[in-house]
């Protein structure tokens, strides 16, 4: 699975998980409205007019229906029955709940559309927007805004008429105590929804930052080339490891221990830094991966397409780069630099080992041991590079045409028979 596809899948999963939170808030809003409705209407000693009774009855029925929508959506979310596409009709129901109550208010009171926004249901808009924010979907948010804006715009054109004393009296009723209590309740509920949305976004942001820091810490110990693989498949997949064909290259500075004795630490550090920068640069150029630096030595890995070709090119490129550096040092009056490079191709086990405090990506197997042994043979055979016939064959390199000289077969401990090898001075 690609990183983009994985991100899209995670976003869809987040939308479904958010529906459980939204369902709980939907239930809380409905219960809060029912409670305020009972306190506001039940506490009034004045008998309401007939239109207010119709209005209150319709409002109570729609609130109870909205409560049932919240209960059903919560059950579906917790039972795993909710799907990402279901979020859209649920958002539509949120919008229609507010718009239907607003329309009923205009219809029952006979108020003109110009007075739409004095009706208490319109004050539920912040809570509905908050519900949509919790889904982390800008397209869903835009849809919600469009539906509410279009609905309220249409209602504002409902039954245009002049402002008569009858309209003024009805408007005065809607600006009295009980409706204002419901307005305040809706504002509080909308604010609470936004608080939950902000809290959830803050928690998700904290989790994202924590995961990013953990991955950054991992990449401090793991090769940079594994960052994409780590993000795509996860650490556990790298821990399991796998067997694969790979080219393994060892490079070591000759006589470094003797050279460094008695020298200023700053000079030694600068020397090693120059060496490692050249190894790193050549490795990056040829698509390799530095497994580790060990003092004045390095182990480099090559995998994937044309790995053997890139490994052979890197070995010769490293030799040329070190020779150039050596010439520059000689011109400056310093000592020359000599290295030994060993390269082999074969099957290895690769994976991540260690505990969370110290992880390490490495490879094991006979191939690694042979490559290290070939590097050690460079001093004995007085060669700059020694490669196995296996890596030249994998790279489709004809030894004679590429300047590789055959050497006596390498007799390695623990193996029967010698290994065919080639060298360059």
């Amino acid at each position: 699975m690609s990183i983009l596809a994985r991100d899209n899948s995670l976003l869809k999963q987040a939308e479904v998980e958010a529906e459980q939170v939204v369902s709980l808030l939907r239930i809380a809003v409905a219960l809060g409205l029912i409670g305020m409705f009972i306190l506001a209407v039940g506490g009034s000693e004045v008998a309401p007019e007939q239109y207010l009774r119709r209005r209150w009855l319709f409002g109570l029925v729609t609130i109870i229906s909205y409560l049932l929508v919240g209960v059903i959506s919560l059950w579906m979310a917790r039972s795993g029955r909710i799907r990402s596409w279901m979020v859209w009709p649920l958002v539509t129901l949120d919008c229609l709940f507010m718009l239907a109550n607003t329309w009923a208010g205009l219809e029952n009171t006979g108020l003109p559309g110009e007075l739409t926004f004095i009706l208490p249901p319109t004050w539920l808009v912040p809570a509905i927007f908050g519900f949509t924010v919790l889904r982390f979907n800008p397209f869903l948010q835009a849809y919600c805004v469009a539906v509410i804006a279009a609905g309220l715009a249409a209602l504002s054109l409902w039954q245009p008429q002049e402002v008569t004393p009858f309209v003024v009296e009805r408007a005065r009723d809607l600006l009295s105590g009980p409706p204002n209590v419901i307005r305040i309740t809706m504002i509080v509920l909308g604010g609470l929804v936004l608080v939950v949305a902000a809290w959830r976004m803050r928690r998700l942001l904290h989790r994202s930052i924590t995961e990013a820091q953990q991955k950054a810490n991992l990449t401090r110990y793991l090769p940079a080339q594994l960052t994409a693989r780590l993000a795509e498949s996860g650490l556990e997949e790298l821990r399991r490891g796998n067997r694969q064909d790979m080219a393994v290259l060892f490079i070591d500075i000759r006589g470094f221990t003797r050279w460094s004795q008695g020298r200023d630490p700053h000079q030694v550090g600068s020397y090693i830094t120059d060496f490692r920068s050249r190894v790193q640069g050549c490795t990056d150029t040829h698509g390799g991966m530095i497994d580790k630096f060990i003092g004045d030595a390095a182990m480099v890995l090559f995998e994937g397409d044309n790995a053997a070709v890139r490994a052979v090119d890197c070995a010769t490129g490293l030799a040329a780069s070190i020779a150039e550096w050596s010439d520059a040092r000689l011109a400056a009056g310093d000592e020359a630099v000599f290295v030994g490079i060993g390269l082999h191709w074969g099957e290895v086990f690769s994976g991540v080992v260690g505990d969370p405090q110290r992880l390490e990506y490495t490879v094991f197997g006979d191939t690694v041991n042979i490559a290290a042994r070939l590097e050690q043979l460079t001093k004995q055979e007085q060669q700059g590079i020694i490669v196995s016939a296996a890596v030249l064959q994998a790279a489709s390199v004809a030894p004679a045409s590429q300047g590789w000289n055959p050497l006596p077969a390498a007799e390695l401990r623990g193996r029967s028979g010698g290994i065919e090898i080639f060298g360059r001075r």
Side-chain angles (χ1 to χ4, degrees), residues 19-27 68-80 82 90:
E19 194 56 40
Q20 182 170 328
V21 178
V22 173
S23 298
L24 288 171
L25 290 172
R26 193 181 285 119
I27 293 172
L68 291 176
V69 170
V71 172
I72 293 172
S73 61
L74 178 62
W75 171 74
M76 293 180 66
R78 288 188 170 179
S79 62
I82 201 78
L90 287 172

Side-chain angles (χ1 to χ4, degrees), residues 271-327:
Y271 182 87
I272 290 297
T273 299
D274 288 343
F275 166 72
R276 292 188 175 185
S277 65
R278 289 180 179 273
V279 173
Q280 184 71 66
C282 195
T283 300
D284 292 342
T285 299
H286 295 92
M289 178 168 57
I290 295 178
D291 179 79
K292 60 176 68 71
F293 283 108
I294 311 170
D296 61 324
M299 176 180 171
V300 184
L301 309 174
F302 296 86
E303 61 179 352
D305 297 337
N306 301 315
V309 175
R310 292 184 281 110
V312 173
D313 291 342
C314 183
T316 56
L318 265 175
S321 177
I322 297 299
E324 178 186 358
W325 179 36
S326 180
D327 290 342

Side-chain angles (χ1 to χ4, degrees), residues 208-414:
S208 298
I209 293 174
T210 301
E211 291 178 354
Q213 290 175 339
Q214 290 174 345
K215 289 181 179 179
N217 290 334
L218 288 176
T219 56
R220 291 176 57 192
Y221 302 113
L222 301 179
Q225 290 86 342
L226 293 179
T227 303
R229 197 183 308 174
L230 179 65
E232 184 172 340
S233 59
L235 179 60
E236 290 307 314
E237 182 67 24
L238 294 180
R239 279 184 180 275
R240 282 193 287 270
N242 66 304
R243 292 189 177 276
Q244 63 182 119
D245 287 335
M246 188 179 292
V248 182
L249 181 150
F250 279 89
I251 179 172
D252 181 55
I253 300 177
R254 295 284 172 249
F256 174 76
T257 302
R258 175 189 55 80
W259 176 88
S260 62
Q261 289 178 350
R263 291 189 181 270
D264 180 73
H266 176 74
Q267 185 181 6
V268 175
S270 178
Y271 182 87
I272 290 297
T273 299
D274 288 343
F275 166 72
R276 292 188 175 185
S277 65
R278 289 180 179 273
V279 173
Q280 184 71 66
C282 195
T283 300
D284 292 342
T285 299
H286 295 92
M289 178 168 57
I290 295 178
D291 179 79
K292 60 176 68 71
F293 283 108
I294 311 170
D296 61 324
M299 176 180 171
V300 184
L301 309 174
F302 296 86
E303 61 179 352
D305 297 337
N306 301 315
V309 175
R310 292 184 281 110
V312 173
D313 291 342
C314 183
T316 56
L318 265 175
S321 177
I322 297 299
E324 178 186 358
W325 179 36
S326 180
D327 290 342
R329 286 178 56 84
L330 286 172
D334 295 324
E335 294 184 26
V337 181
F338 298 98
V339 297
I341 300 173
L343 178 63
H344 184 50
W345 171 270
E347 186 183 70
V348 300
F349 171 84
S350 62
V352 171
V353 297
D355 55 37
Q357 284 71 39
R358 179 70 186 193
L359 293 171
E360 181 181 5
Y361 176 82
T362 190
V363 297
F364 305 94
D366 201 32
T367 300
V368 179
N369 298 330
I370 293 174
R373 177 60 178 148
L374 295 183
E375 181 272 314
Q376 294 169 4
L377 279 176
T378 57
K379 182 185 295 186
Q380 177 182 326
E381 298 293 337
Q382 297 183 347
Q383 301 289 318
I385 311 174
I386 293 182
V387 300
S388 65
V391 73
L392 294 181
Q393 183 179 0
S396 300
V397 172
S401 64
Q402 298 293 326
W404 293 98
N405 303 311
L407 299 173
E411 299 290 340
L412 302 180
R413 183 173 54 190

Side-chain angles (χ1 to χ4, degrees), residues 21-40:
V21 178
V22 173
S23 298
L24 288 171
L25 290 172
R26 193 181 285 119
I27 293 172
V29 167
L31 292 175
L33 289 176
I34 291 175
M36 289 301 100
F37 182 89
I38 294 173
L39 290 176

Side-chain angles (χ1 to χ4, degrees), residues 133-213:
V133 168
L134 285 166
R135 274 72 171 240
F136 304 110
N137 187 333
F139 300 104
L140 197 66
Q141 186 75 53
Y143 168 74
C144 179
V145 172
V147 171
I148 289 179
L152 291 177
L155 290 174
S156 66
L157 301 176
W158 181 268
Q159 297 177 341
Q161 64 182 46
E162 295 181 1
V163 178
T164 63
F166 168 80
V167 171
V168 172
E169 183 65 25
R170 293 289 175 88
R172 183 182 295 113
D173 291 338
L174 288 172
L175 294 174
S176 61
N180 284 336
V181 170
I182 296 178
R183 286 188 183 90
I184 294 173
T185 302
M186 290 180 175
I187 292 175
V188 172
L189 291 174
L192 291 176
V193 171
L194 293 176
V195 167
V196 172
W199 169 78
R200 191 164 186 266
M201 284 189 288
R202 183 181 180 87
R203 188 180 65 176
L204 290 176
L205 179 61
H206 180 266
R207 187 172 69 182
S208 298
I209 293 174
T210 301
E211 291 178 354
Q213 290 175 339

Side-chain angles (χ1 to χ4, degrees), residues 38-86:
I38 294 173
L39 290 176
V41 175
S44 177
E45 298 179 356
V46 180
E49 296 186 31
Q50 185 64 30
Y51 82 92
L52 282 178
R53 290 177 180 176
R54 293 197 306 270
R55 173 74 185 92
W56 291 347
L57 179 61
F58 182 85
L60 185 60
V61 170
T62 55
I63 292 173
I64 293 175
S65 301
Y66 193 61
L67 175 63
L68 291 176
V69 170
V71 172
I72 293 172
S73 61
L74 178 62
W75 171 74
M76 293 180 66
R78 288 188 170 179
S79 62
R81 291 177 171 83
I82 201 78
R83 298 294 181 267
S84 60
W85 65 266
M86 298 179 183

